[in-house]
Amino acid sequence: MAKNKTQSGTDIQQVKKQNAQSQQGQGQYGTEFASETNVQEVQQQNQKSQSKKSQG
C-alpha cells in the first residue's frame, strides 16, 4: 500500500491540500456563520431531540 493513502484509501496529500484551501477561506465564511449561530438554542434543540429519541 502506498504511503500517501490511509487504510480506507484516502489520498492524504489531497486532503491536506483541501484543508489548506478551506483554511484560506475561513475569514470569508467562518466568522459569518459563527455570528449567526445561537449556541444555547442549538444545545436546547439537541437536548429535545435526544429526549425524544430515548422516549421513542
Side-chain angles (χ1 to χ4, degrees):
M1 189 179 283
K3 287 184 179 178
N4 284 345
K5 301 259 184 189
T6 63
Q7 198 170 6
S8 62
T10 306
D11 186 337
I12 296 170
Q13 294 304 320
Q14 180 68 20
V15 171
K16 285 182 180 177
K17 194 167 109 179
Q18 288 174 342
N19 287 346
Q21 286 173 345
S22 116
Q23 285 297 315
Q24 289 171 354
Q26 282 298 315
Q28 191 176 3
Y29 295 109
T31 53
E32 178 185 343
F33 290 125
S35 64
E36 292 177 13
T37 304
N38 182 339
V39 176
Q40 284 184 319
E41 186 180 349
V42 171
Q43 287 173 339
Q44 285 176 346
Q45 288 172 348
N46 289 345
Q47 284 177 339
K48 284 180 187 176
S49 173
Q50 286 298 321
S51 64
K52 283 182 183 178
K53 280 184 188 175
S54 62
Q55 288 174 358

